[in-house]
Amino acid sequence: MSTDLSFFDTHAHIHFPDYGLDSEEVWQAAVNEGVTGMIAVGCRLEDSKGAVEFARGREGVWAAVGIHPHEAHEFLAQKGSKQALEALFDNIQRDKVVAVGEIGLDYYYEHSNKAEQAELLEFQLGLAEKYDLPVICHVRDAFDDFWPIFDRFSIKRAIIHSFTGVLSDVEQILQRDLYVGLNGIMTFTKQAEQLEAAKAVPLKKLVLETDAPYLTPKPFRGKICKPEHVKFTAAFLAELRGESIKQLADQTTLNARQLFDITIRDR
């Protein structure tokens, strides 16, 4: 694959302490493979702080801070947790914080109950509204409850991360002018309706992601996912959608930079 292509990984967790590989080496390898941008995404308070630290000293890396719905029960039970999370937005530009995430609802596992997940989602959407930041949303088996909560806030920019829905879900996303994040799942899914939905996403509303260390695309299944693997998902999607790899890479990179307002925030 040509190395003159530019890719943007909008969702990675390589800064997690248990990532399993040397994060700096992995990031430099990604840069060498044409990954010009990456969002380090938090799921808990500590790894949201870690995302800020990882982004601060690295060109091409930005941070998203937020609490995953799995963590709602533990987070809400901790005294002062909401104040501690909001403190991460004290100096957004210095700390390269460009989004609130990963937030949402997950009814597939329901590690935290639905009421706790909803309370946490509402709090974090309020932060995104207050600080005028986009959100990175994790929604699994929960769109019916997610949209009524989301629609109560004036959120203008968002990604539905790790999308595995169907055409009707794409329609709901596009009605709100949001972005769809596709990752390695697309390379190994056996669900034809998911692939049809992926084909239906307008290129201008599509962004790429890895979710590293998870969801490693073919042909690397069974190995730890890396940001450089985004190019294999891109190649698969380009063929699926009937687009050139350059067209898809260029547009999804532009989409990411516009979505996260990166040209302004990283001057």
Side-chain angles (χ1 to χ4, degrees):
M1 191 180 298
S2 174
T3 56
D4 64 351
L5 299 174
S6 173
F7 300 98
F8 199 115
D9 183 358
T10 61
H11 197 114
H13 305 292
I14 68 173
H15 65 289
F16 280 10
D18 61 352
Y19 176 54
L21 298 171
D22 184 293
S23 298
E24 178 61 25
E25 290 181 3
V26 167
W27 170 240
Q28 289 304 319
V31 171
N32 292 338
E33 293 296 323
V35 180
T36 58
M38 186 192 82
I39 307 297
V41 181
C43 289
R44 308 170 195 85
L45 185 58
E46 285 307 310
D47 58 55
S48 287
K49 294 176 182 177
V52 171
E53 292 169 2
F54 191 77
R56 189 180 291 156
R58 291 171 176 83
E59 184 178 357
V61 182
W62 296 267
V65 300
I67 311 300
H68 193 286
H70 287 343
E71 311 300 324
H73 177 78
E74 182 177 347
F75 177 82
L76 294 172
Q78 293 176 347
K79 184 177 181 180
S81 59
K82 289 183 177 179
Q83 294 85 347
L85 181 63
E86 185 163 7
L88 296 179
F89 298 93
D90 283 349
N91 197 323
I92 291 171
Q93 190 162 7
R94 180 200 68 191
D95 292 336
K96 300 171 71 177
V97 175
V98 295
V100 179
E102 169 178 359
I103 71 174
L105 300 175
D106 192 313
Y107 291 176
Y108 182 82
Y109 288 108
E110 206 172 332
H111 291 324
S112 298
N113 69 46
K114 293 179 180 179
E116 291 168 330
Q117 291 188 47
E119 178 184 345
L120 179 59
L121 175 60
E122 290 170 357
F123 171 66
Q124 294 185 102
L125 288 173
L127 290 177
E129 190 175 66
K130 179 177 179 178
Y131 294 101
D132 190 26
L133 290 172
V135 292
I136 299 173
C137 301
H138 172 111
V139 187
R140 191 167 186 188
D141 293 354
F143 276 116
D144 287 347
D145 284 354
F146 175 79
W147 290 126
I149 296 173
F150 183 88
D151 289 342
R152 292 206 298 270
F153 295 83
S154 58
I155 304 297
K156 300 178 179 63
R157 296 174 290 153
I159 296 173
I160 302 302
H161 147 69
S162 196
F163 179 76
T164 54
V166 296
L167 285 171
S168 59
D169 296 317
V170 173
E171 292 170 0
Q172 289 290 315
I173 294 167
L174 295 180
Q175 283 177 15
R176 295 165 174 83
D177 199 30
L178 308 182
Y179 289 80
V180 173
L182 297 180
N183 56 39
I185 290 175
M186 293 297 114
T187 70
F188 58 80
T189 182
K190 299 186 184 304
Q191 303 297 318
E193 59 268 29
Q194 291 179 0
L195 296 176
E196 286 302 309
K199 289 166 63 175
V201 178
L203 185 54
K204 288 190 175 183
K205 305 308 294 185
L206 177 63
V207 292
L208 302 176
E209 58 179 48
T210 59
D211 205 20
Y214 315 111
L215 307 178
T216 311
K218 286 184 174 182
F220 301 100
R221 300 292 294 147
K223 297 183 179 180
I224 296 174
C225 191
K226 307 174 186 179
E228 67 188 70
H229 291 154
V230 72
K231 65 182 184 178
F232 294 95
T233 298
F236 175 87
L237 289 172
E239 183 174 356
L240 175 73
R241 293 162 54 90
E243 297 157 344
S244 72
I245 182 65
K246 180 169 175 52
Q247 180 184 17
L248 187 139
D250 287 351
Q251 187 62 54
T252 54
T253 296
L254 177 61
N255 293 345
R257 290 185 173 276
Q258 291 177 335
L259 168 66
F260 296 114
D261 199 13
I262 277 173
T263 54
I264 296 174
R265 293 185 187 279
D266 198 46
R267 284 177 180 171

